[in-house]
Amino acid sequence: AQGQHEAALILYENVAEVEKYQHSERLAICQYRMFTIQIGDDQNQNVRVAAVFEAFVERLDEIDQLDALKDLANVYRSLRNWDKVDEMAKKMRAKAEIQYTLKHQQKSRECDESSKKLSRPMFVYIAYADLLCASVCEAQGDYQQALQYTYAYANLDWVKETDEDTRHWIGLFQQWAEGNTYVNKLLSGDTSVLTEYVEYITSTNITKEIVTKLLNVMLAANRYELNINDILKHFETVIDSFVQQEQLSSDVYTKQVIPEQFARFGYELAYYYLHQDMYSDGFKHLLYAMVSYHTLNNETYYINCIGLFERFRAHAVPQTKAEYLNLIEKVWLDNVKKNGTTDHRG
């Protein structure tokens, strides 16, 4: 609670060690806390941390399981492990539906008290599961199925609560559904909705999520060879701010999904500019993407960045080539240090 996470981690590890042979809820809570503390920039470490914690989710209290599954789904989403996102989302939906039904059948004080432990209203976990399933379908290119999930979380007439917090969340889901309807049409090849989508982005300028929206524009532009120079000019200030972004939130989505999307946006933007012969802008964003993917320890996308640079190397000015080689050397030396490999240069 005081933000002393390293100290807390040591204590949780000690409790977990004592409890390791017990099938206890206390052990599961320790593992959950350790999971949230250890999730960081290194995606390879995140894979291991998520895999360890996943085995303990079922031991948590039924209510705590909802937030745990949400957090796991968001970590797997940042890792683009869509099979795991789908699995976590469907488990979360099934459990949330049971708890939501019980809540309204029993009307008990005990049920109300337990649901207060959640970070969001209970219906949100059902709707968010549909949103996650839509993102899985979108990533797999099944845009029609993605639209079906999107229509599902857009229509929340079944929600029984009417308080201000409920209305806030329903409004958010309807806003996300509107945007994602444009996205699925756009990525499936219906480029006629691009202008409407850009108007939608402008009208809902939420800083945390605008990178996701602009990434969709870039994906469509690169896939269908669209000229979007005017759109990029319109969002120039916002795009330049991405390079200085710092994520200070403790929310798993903001810590994990958003940084991965910043990196992907940098790569897609670089790809676009380089193919438009706008080499200065292209290399600037490509080097940013390389730094981001090195921080995330995502070797696959880091290698993609190297491949893109090498394809357009002939168009790089000497200063850009020098920056690129310095970055490659830094990554090499970091790996030498991490792996204990000897550096024979003297």
Side-chain angles (χ1 to χ4, degrees), residues 14 39 42 54 59 63-64 69 120 166 181 216-217 219 230 233 249 256 266 269 284 290 306 329:
N14 287 341
I39 288 293
D42 186 332
E54 196 181 319
R59 300 192 200 178
I63 295 293
D64 288 332
L69 289 166
R120 290 148 174 73
T166 296
T181 299
N216 291 323
V217 173
L219 291 168
D230 290 345
K233 189 72 179 169
S249 171
Q256 297 304 311
L269 193 56
K284 178 181 82 173
M290 287 182 72
I306 291 174
E329 184 175 34

Side-chain angles (χ1 to χ4, degrees), residues 272-284:
Y272 174 82
Y273 279 137
L274 292 171
H275 283 86
Q276 291 277 323
D277 301 336
M278 299 167 72
Y279 301 117
S280 175
D281 287 328
F283 286 120
K284 178 181 82 173

Side-chain angles (χ1 to χ4, degrees), residues 2 48 81 93 124 127 211 219 243 245 292 295 300 343 345:
Q2 294 175 351
R48 295 191 294 273
N81 185 336
R93 192 185 210 289
V124 169
V211 63
L219 291 168
V243 183
Q245 283 289 339
S292 298
T295 302
T300 301
D343 177 3
R345 294 181 308 157

Side-chain angles (χ1 to χ4, degrees), residues 5 120 208 246-256:
H5 291 165
R120 290 148 174 73
K208 185 175 85 169
E246 286 187 32
Q247 300 302 329
L248 301 175
S249 171
S250 60
D251 173 63
V252 171
Y253 178 88
T254 310
K255 281 200 303 185
Q256 297 304 311

